[in-house]
Amino acid sequence: MDRTFHEKGSWSGFALVMILAGFVIRLFWYRSSINALMALILSAFLIIVIDKMINSTYTFTDDFKLIIRNGKFSKKTVIMINEITSARIVNLKVFGRRYVLINYGADHELGIRPQVEERFLRELKIRQKKLDEELENIRNIATEN
């Protein structure tokens, strides 16, 4: 069964949305062609930011993949669970933010922000253990024949 985790919201993200929305409203308020053009450009950027905040998900699939979607307008990232070498929670002292740092493949790193980091890490360990068991069963069957 697939398991999906949503991205944790942040105060800085909400502040960015509010500031951009304020600029868009102000630009539309004072009517001129330059203001309208700038407002449309900022509106497009605002839509992309909101999409990333709402539609970012991290999904564990039954075929042992971690699919990371950063909104509907961006490309998804697919990582095989057996390629993940480590995952740990990192605390940033500067802004007090927490994220999960995933090391995978040949020196690749990826920082993600699931809503509940501990559950995400627990699910990752469960999926890795289940994959190891299936690989061990395949090896046993291959050696028997």
Side-chain angles (χ1 to χ4, degrees), residues 15-143:
L16 177 63
V17 168
M18 297 307 292
I19 290 169
L20 285 175
F23 279 131
V24 168
I25 290 170
R26 184 179 185 284
L27 288 170
F28 276 130
W29 192 267
Y30 296 106
R31 296 182 185 148
S32 74
S33 58
I34 293 292
N35 283 352
L37 180 63
M38 289 177 57
L40 288 175
I41 292 169
L42 278 179
S43 296
F45 185 64
L46 180 63
I47 289 170
I48 291 169
V49 169
I50 291 172
D51 174 62
K52 184 182 177 328
M53 289 177 63
I54 293 174
N55 294 320
S56 291
T57 59
Y58 315 111
T59 305
F60 289 105
T61 63
D62 287 335
D63 54 349
F64 302 107
K65 294 179 183 173
L66 172 61
I67 299 173
I68 300 168
R69 291 187 177 93
N70 289 320
K72 294 186 179 185
F73 298 123
S74 65
K75 191 172 96 173
K76 68 180 178 182
T77 304
V78 179
I79 302 171
M80 297 298 293
I81 290 183
N82 60 347
E83 292 180 359
I84 297 174
T85 56
S86 69
R88 61 188 170 94
I89 296 174
V90 176
N91 290 319
L92 289 178
K93 303 270 189 227
V94 179
F95 297 111
R97 293 179 69 174
R98 291 171 47 132
Y99 65 94
V100 176
L101 181 65
I102 297 175
N103 295 317
Y104 66 98
D107 295 330
H108 295 288
E109 290 184 338
L110 182 66
I112 61 172
R113 299 196 60 224
Q115 283 184 346
V116 184
E117 296 95 352
E118 290 82 13
R119 285 186 189 164
F120 179 86
L121 292 175
R122 188 175 336 127
E123 185 69 25
L124 176 62
K125 289 184 193 317
I126 290 170
R127 299 283 174 144
Q128 285 178 328
K129 184 177 178 183
K130 192 182 296 184
L131 177 63
D132 289 341
E133 290 171 359
E134 285 197 21
L135 290 175
E136 188 64 33
N137 289 340
I138 291 171
R139 284 187 200 113
N140 290 339
I141 291 171
T143 56

